Amino acid sequence: MELVTIYQCLCDLTRLRLLHVLAQGPLCVCDFQAVLAEPQVKISKHLGYLRARGLVEAKRRGNWVVYALPAKPSAGLRANLACLQDCLADDPRFQRDLARLRRLESTCAVDKLAPVPATSVGRKRCC
Amino acid sequence: MELVTIYQCLCDLTRLRLLHVLAQGPLCVCDFQAVLAEPQVKISKHLGYLRARGLVEAKRRGNWVVYALPAKPSAGLRANLACLQDCLADDPRFQRDLARLRRLESTCAVDKLAPVPATSVGRKRCC
DNA sequence: AAATGGTATTCCCAGACAGGAATATAGATC
DNA sequence: GATCTATATTCCTGTCTGGGAATACCATTT
């Protein structure tokens, strides 16, 4: 993966927030909407941008799509994601996202990584 | 310094090359031209871009302008520059720049950091 | 003052991209 | 099949940016 490509992905605030939150674990689009408090188009487009360049992976899980950081990131990506987390550790704007994420997790018990039941997810709404 | 700003600076190949070479020490524009083998406008514009955002510092030295990494980089910048050097250590395209830089240094004995003589630099050409 | 060398700026164009509104698609439920 | 939820895509617009040609600017030398 080209280093320039990585930086192109990192040079937008929304995408930084997405990746920062994703470091905590996989998440679906509607959760991102809640955590970032941004409209669906915006979230979906930026996730698409990241996905097209290999910065995130996605898999459909019933009705919704779960995004995650790559299972096997390149060395450059791994280094930069670590650097990113490090640099954002004290940034209040990004910490607010994490706070909303934790609030979400406490009310929503869905395990985003559990295997998908054969025919149905068994739940109508995400959270 | 905003982290996003740093990434915006890093998301162009030419600017990556500039910063990578700059890590070896201060350099003037005409040297960059030789090291990167790119036209003057391109070099000058990208250096201007980096300078406007605080990623590099510049000072006139007689007839030419010497660029350098900031004397006191922010924590985020320092971390990312280190990460950058680390990621590029094996990239042949960037190593070629360093090779040209060393060739330049062997033929050009100007000390870019030496204090500027009061009235004249004493040399007509840069190298 | 004129000439010269080094650097920055302006003007132009083409492409990328962010944002939002509206619409389309996919899967699940009824 | 109709409906609903979740997600993606299309269309539009404004802004930013990269590249190059030409030119302006600044300092030095003659």
Side-chain angles (χ1 to χ4, degrees), chain A residues 3-16:
Chain A
L3 200 56
V4 173
T5 306
I6 295 179
Y7 289 128
Q8 285 170 346
C9 288
L10 298 181
C11 74
D12 176 272
L13 180 58
T14 304
R15 289 197 288 268
L16 278 189

Side-chain angles (χ1 to χ4, degrees), chain A residues 12 15 41-42 45-46 49 60 62-63 120:
Chain A
D12 176 272
R15 289 197 288 268
V41 203
K42 195 167 173 177
K45 269 201 209 169
H46 282 297
Y49 186 103
R60 206 166 246 290
N63 213 336
S120 159

Side-chain angles (χ1 to χ4, degrees), chain A residues 23-101:
Chain A
Q24 304 293 314
L27 224 54
C28 67
V29 179
C30 59
D31 287 340
F32 278 118
Q33 287 178 237
V35 170
L36 300 201
E38 298 281 0
Q40 187 258 329
V41 203
K42 195 167 173 177
I43 301 287
S44 183
K45 269 201 209 169
H46 282 297
L47 283 173
Y49 186 103
L50 292 173
R51 184 184 189 182
R53 289 157 183 79
L55 277 265
V56 303
E57 293 171 350
K59 58 181 166 190
R60 206 166 246 290
R61 180 162 159 53
N63 213 336
W64 52 88
V65 177
V66 177
Y67 283 85
L69 294 180
K72 297 179 182 175
S74 70
L77 179 56
R78 194 151 18 85
N80 275 289
L81 287 179
C83 185
L84 180 66
Q85 293 304 120
D86 200 49
C87 292
L88 293 178
D90 297 330
D91 191 312
R93 205 161 24 153
F94 287 78
Q95 293 311 308
R96 246 190 300 135
D97 290 341
L98 291 192
R100 276 190 292 251
L101 174 63

